[in-house]
Amino acid sequence: MSEGPKYTFKTLFFEATRDCNFSCPMCMASSNNKPLVAKSLKNQLTTGEIEEYVFKGGKEITLDTITWSGGEFILRPDAIELVHMATAYGYSSIVTTNGAYMDRDKLMELKKASGNTVVIAVGINSIDEKNIETRDIDCEVALGVLELCEELDVRRNVVVTIGKHNLDTLGSTLDWLEKKNIPYNRSPFTPRGSGDAFREELGFSSDHMERFIHPELRKHPLGYISYTPFFLSPEVHERYSKGSKNVTVPQSPSIGCWCGTWLAMTAEGDVAPCAIMLDDVNCGNVRDKSLHEIVHTSETFQRILDREQLQGKCGRCRYKFTCGGCRALAYYYNGDVMAEDPTCFFEPEDETTVSEHEEQTNKMFKRFAFMQRAADKVVSTERERARLEMADEVEAD
């Protein structure tokens, strides 16, 4: 066990391969850069290294969930084996996919490997023909995977990348997900990787946030898992979470900006505080240091874990702990992970300034927290059941 304080991260977002069957022009992982992908494939973490550095090392920072991503994760020859091993070590697995190869047989393999606990996450930016403009695939493919998951009793999730490309369709997309009772994560477009060429075309402003994006985000409790700006009363979160936090970053449930409650890693083992900072913010490599040591010795991680260090209007905001502002957008547009969020429209004078949206946020958060608490109990129970079943299989062999 590494020396130092105990950190309570929950999720590792692991871009386990840059290999992909698509070539989306704004790919954050640069999977459309074939020379880069070829180089990465020679250097990506092996099955054994993932077991040592992630499955074993993750326990030191209390990880309980691994989000497998890419590229296209299931292109890794050991993808099913990795999900099975993760389950045996007591982790939940979320598999993100573009859906092209996610047929019935593959879903059943993943379901079996995870002891019926896997979550399948697909990307849908627009619930119409505009999806193909940014996803390099028609949304019908993702919808087909969601339908198949429902038929096979596999948990589902949707990732919606938000930018100028879907300002006019965001409302209808989130309404559709709400009606289908499908949880979603919003992910802001950021100029990471190949996306940098689309910085002006797709990046959104604080005006876009105020007029188009935020009104939709704040009215859907199924998406309260993570977005900014998040105007939750600190007192409400304290009451619901009973003070649970990773240093200063709120947890149980995690809200606002997830930097400080999750962390991310490239296929080659480089670690960053957020998936959309990978490659550009490198805090260390797991081949050189354990995850605990990377977090403990990285100035970037230590700053992010201390929200008292937030700058600009984020630093003087009533919601600096329950929101935190998007650290990735702060980095890409203001040059510092602790700078103010350039897409936030709130202008607080000091920490006594209350947002007009606090009451609505508090109300919707309570609905979300109730659902999340019930879901967490189920997931925790099923994760332990699956782990014990895997252990029984090993003993039987």
Side-chain angles (χ1 to χ4, degrees):
M1 184 73 175
S2 300
E3 295 183 0
K6 181 178 181 181
Y7 297 103
T8 55
F9 289 88
K10 297 301 180 185
T11 301
L12 173 69
F13 186 96
F14 184 14
E15 285 187 353
T17 184
R18 294 185 194 266
D19 194 16
C20 191
N21 49 311
F22 289 145
S23 188
C24 302
M26 63 287 298
C27 179
M28 291 194 306
S30 297
S31 292
N32 57 344
N33 183 334
K34 298 311 175 187
L36 177 65
V37 172
K39 181 180 179 180
S40 172
L41 287 172
K42 296 177 181 178
N43 192 40
Q44 70 182 20
L45 295 176
T46 65
T47 311
E49 287 177 318
I50 292 171
E51 179 176 20
E52 186 67 27
Y53 305 141
V54 177
F55 300 153
K56 294 180 181 178
K59 298 298 183 182
E60 295 186 359
I61 54 173
T62 70
L63 290 177
D64 60 29
T65 301
I66 299 173
T67 297
W68 303 96
S69 184
E72 178 63 16
F73 168 63
I74 61 173
L75 291 182
R76 278 192 68 122
D78 59 354
I80 302 298
E81 180 184 1
L82 287 171
V83 171
H84 184 274
M85 291 174 66
T87 306
Y89 273 93
Y91 295 100
S92 298
S93 282
I94 301 172
V95 174
T96 65
T97 176
N98 57 44
Y101 295 148
M102 196 59 73
D103 57 17
R104 181 183 298 271
D105 289 342
K106 186 63 67 175
L107 281 170
M108 290 304 296
E109 281 188 273
L110 288 166
K111 185 176 181 180
K112 181 180 179 181
S114 67
N116 300 328
T117 63
V118 72
V119 176
I120 301 298
V122 298
I124 298 178
N125 292 348
S126 294
I127 199 75
D128 58 18
E129 67 280 356
K130 295 188 71 174
N131 191 69
I132 200 169
E133 295 177 10
T134 52
R135 284 285 182 183
D136 210 19
I137 188 172
D138 192 274
C139 73
E140 291 301 320
V141 174
L143 295 178
V145 172
L146 293 175
E147 290 177 4
L148 196 53
C149 284
E150 184 175 28
E151 177 188 336
L152 299 175
D153 194 27
V154 174
R155 290 194 186 90
R156 308 171 291 174
N157 185 269
V158 168
V159 179
V160 183
T161 299
I162 297 175
K164 289 178 185 175
H165 56 284
N166 58 357
L167 293 178
D168 58 342
T169 62
L170 181 62
S172 59
T173 300
L174 299 189
D175 285 342
W176 185 89
L177 293 171
E178 191 89 5
K179 289 176 184 176
K180 295 290 185 178
N181 199 34
I182 300 175
Y184 70 88
N185 290 38
R186 77 86 183 96
S187 179
F189 168 80
T190 51
R192 177 198 163 204
S194 298
D196 191 43
F198 297 84
R199 182 184 291 251
E200 295 301 322
E201 181 180 343
L202 299 181
F204 59 87
S205 66
S206 58
D207 181 61
H208 294 132
M209 174 64 78
E210 182 173 22
R211 294 196 296 127
F212 300 105
I213 302 171
H214 205 263
E216 297 299 335
L217 293 177
R218 65 176 180 258
K219 71 181 183 182
H220 294 286
L222 286 177
Y224 264 48
I225 189 168
S226 171
Y227 76 83
T228 60
F230 196 71
F231 302 116
L232 178 67
S233 158
E235 296 82 9
V236 168
H237 188 273
E238 183 76 14
R239 187 162 65 249
Y240 272 75
S241 71
K242 295 180 172 58
S244 177
K245 56 178 68 76
N246 187 18
V247 188
T248 69
V249 179
Q251 295 180 316
S252 299
S254 300
I255 49 171
C257 177
W258 262 34
C259 278
T261 197
W262 77 337
L263 68 171
M265 188 167 71
T266 67
E268 303 83 26
D270 293 330
V271 178
C274 179
I276 50 182
M277 290 187 201
L278 285 170
D279 297 322
D280 294 315
V281 177
N282 184 358
C283 298
N285 190 286
V286 292
R287 285 174 168 142
D288 303 319
K289 299 179 180 180
S290 69
L291 285 169
H292 184 280
E293 189 177 0
I294 288 172
V295 170
H296 190 53
T297 60
S298 163
E299 180 183 358
T300 299
F301 265 109
Q302 291 303 306
R303 293 177 72 204
I304 280 176
L305 286 168
D306 182 7
R307 289 193 171 173
E308 289 286 6
Q309 295 193 41
L310 287 170
Q311 302 167 7
K313 63 183 181 182
C314 286
R316 64 175 182 270
C317 184
R318 166 173 169 77
Y319 311 102
K320 65 182 175 183
F321 294 111
T322 54
C323 170
C326 180
R327 296 301 92 217
L329 291 173
Y331 170 77
Y332 282 111
Y333 291 99
N334 288 332
D336 191 319
V337 294
M338 301 306 284
E340 67 181 36
D341 182 343
T343 65
C344 181
F345 54 86
F346 187 48
E347 297 293 340
E349 292 185 12
D350 54 37
E351 293 187 27
T352 66
T353 308
V354 177
S355 166
E356 63 181 299
H357 305 301
E358 180 179 303
E359 183 177 354
Q360 181 187 19
T361 305
N362 289 348
K363 180 180 178 181
M364 298 299 276
F365 167 78
K366 291 173 184 177
R367 289 179 57 189
F368 164 73
F370 176 79
M371 293 186 297
Q372 188 68 34
R373 194 162 294 168
D376 284 346
K377 288 181 180 178
V378 172
V379 170
S380 179
T381 299
E382 292 191 352
R383 183 169 57 228
E384 180 61 11
R385 172 194 56 75
R387 185 189 69 79
L388 292 173
E389 287 179 358
M390 300 291 179
D392 289 341
E393 289 178 13
V394 172
E395 289 182 7
D397 291 342

